[in-house]
Structure formats: C-alpha cells, structure tokens
Amino acid sequence: MGYDRIRPSESGHGELTAKNNKKNVVIIPVVALTMIIVSAVCAGVVVVLREGGGAPVGTSIRRKLTQAISRTCGKTRFRKLSSFNRALYTTSFVSVTQMDPRVRSAYDDCLELLEDSVDALSRSLSSVVPSQKGHGKGGSTQDVMTWLSAALTNQDTCTEGFEGLSGAVRDQMTVKLADLLELVSNCLSIFAASGGVPTQNRRLLTSNDVVSAENTDERHFPKWLRREERAMLDTPVTAIWADIIVSKDGNGTVNTITEAIKKAPEHSTRRIIIYVKAGSCNRCCFIARDITFQNWAGPAKHQAVALRIGADHAVVYRCNIIGYQDTLYVHSNRQFYRECDIYGTVDFIFGNAGVVFQNCSIYARKPMPLQKNTITAQNRKDPNQNIGISIHACRILPTPDLAAAKGSFQTYLGRPWKLYSTAVFMLSYISDHIHSRGWLEWNAAFALDTLHYAQSIPDSRARV
C-alpha cells in the first residue's frame, strides 16, 4: 500500500551505460514506428467517425512491421496486441445514423477526444523521430511522456462516456476503443523503456520533484511558464493589451467565449489574451486569472463540474472554483493552480493531469446526508503515466456550515478512482475536519497495493 509520509527523493538512476545506450538506439526507431502506427490508427478512427464507411485502414503500415517490434513488445503491458493485428481497424464499423441523444453526445465527445489524441501523438512523434540534421524536434522526454499520457487519458474518457448506454454504436465503439487504449499504453511502455521516465520505479511527486530549483523559478512558478507570462500574472488588467475582448453588451471584440475561441489562432507561438468583461460564460481558455467558475446545480444534482481543463501548460491564478461533487476536473496534461479558492464535497478535485496546487485554499463543504467528503479522486490508470495530483503549501479547511456539523460528516484527503491513483499533500495546513485515517478506500481493497498517497506535516497544527 502506498500510503506514507514524504521522504527525500531517492537518488536518480545515474548515467546510462554504453550497453543501455545501444539498447536505446534500437528501441527509439521502434518507438517512432509505434507512434506512426498509433497515430495512423487513431486518425483512421477519427475519419471513420466523421465520414463512416470506406475501405480498410493501415494496409501498407501492416506490411512494414518488423521483428524489432516483437522483441520490444517484451516491455509492453499488452503483449497480445503488439502485432497490431487487432488494432488496424476497418472503416465500416460506424455509420452516421440516428442515435439516442445520450449516445450522440458520447459519440461527439469521442470525436473531439480522438482528435486531441492525434495531435498529442503527432507532437510526440515529431520529438522522437530524428530530423534530416539528425536531431529530434518538438519536445523533451517529459513532454513526450505527458503527451502520450494525455492520449491514453483521452481514450479512457471516451470509453467512459458510453458507460450505462446500450446499442450497436456503443458496443462497437467500446471494442475499438479498448484496442486503441492498449495500443497507446504499449507505446507509452516502449518509450519509458527506451529512456523515458520509468515512473513505476521511482517515487512520484516528492517535495524535491515539485519545488526544486530544477523545475521552478524563485517564486515557485513552473519553469515552463515563460518570463513574460509570469509578469502578466501580476500586471493590472488595465495595463494588459488583450487580443480579444468578450462583452455580452456588444462593446467588445466578440459577444461570447465561444466566438473568442474560434477567433483565436490554432498553434500560436504565444499566448492569446482574451479579456472577459463582467458577466457569465461557459467556456474559457488558459491561462485564467481573476475569474470565478461556479456550477449552480447544488448538491442534490450530484456530479456537476464547474471547471474542466485538458490543455497543456494551463495556469489558473487567483480564481474561485465553486461547486459540490466533482467541482474541478483536472482532465489531462500539465496544469498549475496558484492562490485559488476551491470548494466542493465528493471527489471535488479529480482527473488525470500532472497538476500542482500551490498557495491555494481548499474548502470542504457540507455534503448531503450520508455522504462522505473526499478532496481528491485521482485516476492514473497506467503505471507509466507521469501524472498525479500535488498539493503544496495550501490550506485544507472546512466551510463554516461543515465546521458547525463536522461531527456528522467525514472528510478525507482522497480516494483512488483508478488503479495507480497518485496524490500528495506537501507542507500544507490540514484542519481537524479531516478524518484521522486521512484517506478513504474506493471499493474494499481496490488499488490499495498500487496507489501512491502521501502527506507531510509542516507544524504541530496540521494533522493526519
């Protein structure tokens, strides 16, 4: 069981030996070929979903598989799929016909998620495949691990969208997505074995990993947040030049957030600044600053997300995020929250991003009768994903209504949504509304041997 206190991070793996370097030379081309195949399959599925019908996909790719893949598949979690025979789909499994509204919604969500996966896999491939000058381009090892992890999360979310539904579309999509999930997992396994970060062999998100000088600047902002972006976070609104202004009264560039997102260029080399005047909206871009995100559904509506983020290098600064169950969905990629107030009841910070919360106030609210509060529900499903929830220098507090009735309701730091659930609380003040056990099981003994949960105690006031 991975419950423990924070300990200093263990020594690194050291430099690779010449023998290991030779292995990497062999495996890296296999990683590239694997990514090409996964990208082709994923893109093929998107085309199928968009257009329906057609001829088999991947025929030419299938002919190019080599014995190297078979050798490398010893590093994968799903060896039976390493020949890719089951994952090179035909394009006739879905036709665009009438669907139940809920099936249609899940289907449309899958389209968007799969397209995001194609983009993530393409960026990963551009970082792994050498250019004509012999150098990779696009991203670091951590970038590739993050993008592959996000692609895996996208497929998992797509599958979950069909849970509780029935019919031919659901049945066929579930089968195809299962194959794709295993294919992306194998890709991640191969990359980790070739020199990526073998996360199952090191302690995740320890204090040194998150706030070391290697990863953060003097104010503990992540180093991927550029100097001009860090300066922008502290610049008065009146001094910021916005690219797009959203105003419902017609006095801005556009009237809605949706229009602003459509107006913003894709793959821009800089942050596009969207200024939202006072009012309400249902979409946003990130970085987000000085905004309140609130779901008004109330506790009786159960799962009701106030904010969902899947963007890479997302920053949420001085924002309020308010809801009850499932308030904040940190879906995927890398995210950073600073000086935010977050409110909720059940699993109110959940998802599969590599996310850091710093100098935030995290408030548990009074839940419905018979409910138990859980702050986190992290859903890392694959041991090679480089993600988890890290809560650093925050305040874990009850709202006044919960404080008045805390003897009637139990509140925990988190519970494991998926098998490799990972969450740590570091140097944070933890009020006495948190149950003395600290963490809650999801379902009996599920994930207790594979999760990683930990907390550090800064002073005598903090408990757990």
Side-chain angles (χ1 to χ4, degrees):
M1 183 184 301
Y3 297 94
D4 58 27
R5 298 283 178 85
I6 297 290
R7 294 193 292 271
S9 59
E10 298 167 2
S11 60
H13 298 287
E15 294 185 0
L16 295 173
T17 62
K19 183 177 180 181
N20 285 338
N21 280 330
K22 186 174 294 185
K23 287 183 180 180
N24 287 350
V25 171
V26 174
I27 295 177
I28 285 292
V30 177
V31 174
L33 178 57
T34 306
M35 288 184 186
I36 291 170
I37 295 170
V38 175
S39 298
V41 171
C42 197
V45 172
V46 172
V47 171
V48 168
L49 294 177
R50 288 286 185 203
E51 300 178 1
V57 183
T59 303
S60 61
I61 295 174
R62 188 182 296 114
R63 298 194 189 103
K64 297 180 182 179
L65 298 179
T66 66
Q67 292 182 352
I69 291 180
S70 297
R71 292 194 298 270
T72 306
C73 284
K75 304 290 186 181
T76 67
R77 299 180 65 225
F78 302 100
R79 302 181 186 185
K80 64 181 181 180
L81 273 186
S82 293
S83 66
F84 302 103
N85 290 333
R86 288 175 53 199
L88 295 171
Y89 312 122
T90 62
T91 62
S92 59
F93 69 87
V94 173
S95 60
V96 184
T97 58
Q98 289 187 354
M99 300 181 194
D100 176 90
R102 289 185 61 198
V103 174
R104 170 63 66 183
S105 178
Y107 178 89
D108 290 341
D109 287 345
C110 264
L111 287 182
E112 185 173 347
L113 289 163
L114 287 170
E115 287 173 345
D116 288 346
S117 292
V118 170
D119 183 58
L121 291 165
S122 297
R123 282 183 289 165
S124 300
L125 183 61
S126 71
S127 301
V128 172
V129 176
S131 66
Q132 292 181 350
K133 295 183 180 181
H135 301 288
K137 61 177 182 178
S140 65
T141 296
Q142 282 295 325
D143 289 331
V144 175
M145 293 291 290
T146 297
W147 297 331
L148 291 175
S149 296
L152 192 59
T153 299
N154 288 340
Q155 320 314 329
D156 198 31
T157 304
C158 187
T159 301
E160 289 171 351
F162 287 95
E163 290 180 357
L165 304 178
S166 60
V169 172
R170 179 261 184 195
D171 293 343
Q172 294 184 63
M173 286 293 295
T174 299
V175 172
K176 306 305 176 184
L177 288 167
D179 286 352
L180 191 55
L181 268 167
E182 296 183 0
L183 201 70
V184 176
S185 176
N186 280 356
C187 193
L188 188 61
S189 299
I190 293 170
F191 186 78
S194 69
V197 182
T199 55
Q200 70 272 33
N201 294 328
R202 71 175 179 89
R203 198 162 288 281
L204 289 173
L205 294 175
T206 64
S207 57
N208 287 347
D209 290 330
V210 177
V211 297
S212 67
E214 179 183 353
N215 297 319
T216 61
D217 66 6
E218 65 279 0
R219 295 182 59 197
H220 298 309
F221 282 112
K223 285 191 173 178
W224 47 255
L225 191 64
R226 295 178 294 188
R227 184 184 300 275
E228 61 271 23
E229 296 170 336
R230 294 195 295 269
M232 184 181 68
L233 293 177
D234 290 326
T235 303
V237 171
T238 54
I240 295 176
W241 181 267
D243 297 285
I244 304 170
I245 298 175
V246 180
S247 178
K248 297 178 71 173
D249 60 12
N251 291 323
T253 311
V254 295
N255 295 329
T256 67
I257 287 287
T258 299
E259 292 176 84
I261 292 173
K262 290 180 179 178
K263 191 176 181 66
E266 293 188 13
H267 307 296
S268 174
T269 57
R270 66 175 181 85
R271 300 274 187 179
I272 301 300
I273 299 175
I274 300 175
Y275 173 52
V276 183
K277 289 189 173 182
S280 60
C281 61
N282 59 9
R283 296 189 68 178
C284 194
C285 298
F286 296 94
I287 301 173
R289 186 190 116 172
D290 299 320
I291 297 176
T292 294
F293 302 92
Q294 184 165 7
N295 191 308
W296 296 90
K301 298 295 184 180
H302 297 284
Q303 297 167 317
V305 174
L307 177 63
R308 175 193 181 277
I309 300 180
D312 197 16
H313 290 170
V315 177
V316 181
Y317 184 53
R318 294 195 320 222
C319 291
N320 295 323
I321 307 167
I322 304 171
Y324 286 89
Q325 183 171 346
D326 292 359
T327 301
L328 175 58
Y329 192 0
V330 290
H331 181 265
S332 56
N333 284 301
R334 288 163 287 196
Q335 303 178 24
F336 181 69
Y337 295 73
R338 176 76 170 260
E339 298 174 31
C340 294
D341 290 345
I342 305 166
Y343 297 79
T345 54
V346 180
D347 303 337
F348 65 96
I349 299 174
F350 73 107
N352 205 28
V355 57
V356 174
F357 295 87
Q358 194 174 82
N359 295 347
C360 294
S361 295
I362 299 173
Y363 293 95
R365 307 177 77 175
K366 182 179 178 180
M368 294 196 303
L370 304 181
Q371 282 188 328
K372 298 175 182 178
N373 285 339
T374 42
I375 295 172
T376 65
Q378 205 280 329
N379 67 317
R380 180 168 170 248
K381 189 176 183 178
D382 190 291
N384 291 301
Q385 289 178 301
N386 64 339
I387 40 76
I389 294 175
S390 175
I391 296 176
H392 172 245
C394 293
R395 294 158 297 283
I396 315 302
L397 303 167
T399 54
D401 60 346
L402 178 62
K406 66 183 179 184
S408 302
F409 299 96
Q410 297 176 3
T411 300
Y412 296 86
L413 297 175
R415 59 176 180 162
W417 183 10
K418 295 293 174 66
L419 193 61
Y420 297 96
S421 183
T422 300
V424 298
F425 287 71
M426 300 179 298
L427 304 177
S428 295
Y429 173 77
I430 302 176
S431 179
D432 64 0
H433 71 298
I434 298 296
H435 194 282
S436 58
R437 291 175 55 205
W439 307 86
L440 180 67
E441 298 86 353
W442 184 274
N443 182 14
F446 171 75
L448 295 185
D449 294 329
T450 51
L451 59 78
H452 178 76
Y453 288 163
Q455 67 281 332
S456 65
I457 299 179
D459 58 47
S460 59
R461 296 173 300 164
R463 303 174 59 254
V464 182

